[in-house]
Amino acid sequence: MIIGKVIGSVWSTRKADNLGGLKFMIVELNDKTSLVACDGVGAGVGDKVLITCGSSARKLMDLEDAPVDAAIIGIIDEGEGE
């Protein structure tokens, strides 16, 4: 899992058919890079989140055949050593 902070969202009117209805968020990682992740938990801008990548993201979102590589799987309430 990866920790990141939601810094924005992405809208797309044209996308692969199996991505319809998904919410996409821009997440900044600790090394200041960013990625786009499907939101499975209702995260919002400013939330610290847990992200999973690869096949785990597709399985979690029930998107086995979709081109998804990252998914938000949790919102962090608090943590130590961040």
Side-chain angles (χ1 to χ4, degrees), residues 8-30:
S9 56
V10 175
W11 292 270
S12 176
T13 55
R14 296 182 66 176
K15 57 185 167 253
D17 291 338
N18 53 359
L19 296 178
L22 296 176
K23 180 178 162 189
F24 296 102
M25 306 302 282
I26 302 168
V27 181
E28 182 178 70
L29 306 179
N30 288 340

Side-chain angles (χ1 to χ4, degrees), residues 5-62:
K5 182 178 180 179
V6 177
I7 59 170
S9 56
V10 175
W11 292 270
S12 176
T13 55
R14 296 182 66 176
K15 57 185 167 253
D17 291 338
N18 53 359
L19 296 178
L22 296 176
K23 180 178 162 189
F24 296 102
M25 306 302 282
I26 302 168
V27 181
E28 182 178 70
L29 306 179
N30 288 340
D31 63 0
K32 301 302 179 195
T33 61
S34 59
L35 58 81
V36 175
C38 288
D39 181 16
V41 296
V45 174
D47 286 339
K48 282 193 168 188
V49 294
L50 292 173
I51 301 164
T52 190
C53 295
S55 62
S56 297
R58 289 185 294 279
K59 287 178 184 176
L60 174 78
M61 301 290 292
D62 286 328

